[in-house]
Amino acid sequence: MSPRNGRRTGAHRAHSLARQWKTKRRRRDLDEIHGDLQPENAARLLRQEPDPDLPGCAQFYCLHCRYFVDLTSMKEHFRSKVHKKRLKQLREAPYTQEEAERAAGMGSYIPPKKVEVQTQPLEEVIEMEASS
């Protein structure tokens, strides 16, 4: 049969490939990151045991974004547009069940609160302040 008959062969496969690529580069959700920003979780994540399976052996971790290979790439990331955009997204408080109920008409609307989010301090800066 000629390809002019309007029949698309293999179209179902392209859809599943697109889904695979989306999940491969999937980033963490904002409410998960808000959970990591709690002081007890943040301390645990910033002082992880070396893990050879993760980039940089899990020693260079941005709480808001991801793992990095070394300190210089993490410093560059802190100045990047991607990191600043993520901080701006995290300023809004995470979506809660109460807010969903208010949106469904079970209460009056209250705008979401703003949360103060700053870039994490680097280890070397903390050590320099302690020594002086």
Side-chain angles (χ1 to χ4, degrees):
M1 296 186 129
S2 69
R4 293 184 186 192
N5 66 358
R7 185 171 160 228
R8 293 179 60 200
T9 59
H12 61 279
R13 190 183 145 153
H15 203 63
S16 64
L17 286 176
R19 193 173 298 127
Q20 286 176 358
W21 286 110
K22 275 187 196 175
T23 57
K24 181 178 180 181
R25 294 187 183 88
R26 187 176 184 285
R27 298 184 310 181
R28 302 188 65 213
D29 292 328
L30 296 178
D31 57 341
E32 292 176 320
I33 296 171
H34 272 284
D36 288 347
L37 291 176
Q38 301 303 323
E40 60 276 355
N41 294 339
R44 180 179 49 82
L45 286 170
L46 291 176
R47 289 169 181 72
Q48 296 182 35
E49 293 294 323
D51 185 4
D53 295 333
L54 294 172
C57 294
Q59 299 303 302
F60 308 102
Y61 181 66
C62 172
L63 287 173
H64 315 101
C65 304
R66 60 189 179 100
Y67 290 96
F68 290 94
V69 178
D70 58 356
L71 187 62
T72 57
S73 62
M74 191 164 87
K75 285 181 180 178
E76 285 179 24
H77 164 74
F78 286 158
R79 292 191 304 263
S80 72
K81 185 176 183 178
V82 176
H83 181 72
K84 291 175 183 176
K85 196 182 278 189
R86 177 57 68 92
L87 288 178
K88 191 173 184 179
Q89 290 171 342
L90 287 169
R91 283 190 190 136
E92 195 168 301
Y95 196 71
T96 61
Q97 181 62 34
E98 292 81 24
E99 189 174 351
E101 289 172 359
R102 286 193 301 265
M106 299 182 206
S108 58
Y109 176 73
I110 300 172
K113 297 177 182 172
K114 299 291 181 185
V115 179
E116 183 64 33
V117 180
Q118 295 179 347
T119 301
Q120 67 198 35
L122 292 173
E123 296 291 329
E124 63 183 22
V125 174
I126 295 172
E127 290 173 6
M128 287 183 357
E129 288 175 356
S131 64
S132 50

